[in-house]
Amino acid sequence: MSVQKTTGTTVDLRAVVDDRIDPELPAGLELRSLATAMVTGQRLEETRAALSRAAGPQMAAAAIGVCANFEMMNRILDATGCPAPERLRFVAELLGIPR
């Protein structure tokens, strides 16, 4: 199940919730490992180093910045009770999240 809606980049969104699935992105496995490490607080240095090796230090820094920004925005949206816009709800369905 690949999606190319906005950027034309193929990505298998099921990989977000199933680590047996390759996300089909360059350094996608390392990106997912880093995101998991950031959520759990475990293996941060190891996963950051792996992403830096796979994608380069600038891309690793950019990915960490995106994760940090997402976390900040997610906290703001949760605190204010802001619903997801209808145009983005297709992502929930792709991930198997009931509407």
Side-chain angles (χ1 to χ4, degrees):
M1 177 188 298
S2 297
V3 176
Q4 299 181 6
K5 280 204 177 238
T6 303
T7 65
T9 301
T10 300
V11 60
D12 191 333
L13 291 177
R14 297 173 305 160
V16 172
V17 295
D18 187 343
D19 64 7
R20 297 170 297 174
I21 297 174
D22 185 339
E24 302 176 20
L25 290 170
L29 298 173
E30 292 84 2
L31 284 165
R32 181 181 54 211
S33 292
L34 178 68
T36 299
M38 292 179 81
V39 169
T40 64
Q42 300 173 3
R43 302 178 53 232
L44 285 166
E45 287 299 316
E46 177 185 339
T47 57
R48 182 203 51 79
L51 179 59
S52 187
R53 284 190 302 276
Q58 288 181 319
M59 291 302 290
I64 291 166
V66 167
C67 289
N69 186 60
F70 177 82
E71 177 64 17
M72 176 192 65
M73 297 303 292
N74 193 48
R75 287 177 183 243
I76 292 168
L77 292 171
D78 280 349
T80 60
C82 184
E86 185 62 38
R87 67 182 174 79
L88 297 178
R89 294 198 179 162
F90 76 94
V91 175
E93 187 175 311
L94 291 172
L95 295 174
I97 300 169
R99 289 179 107 180

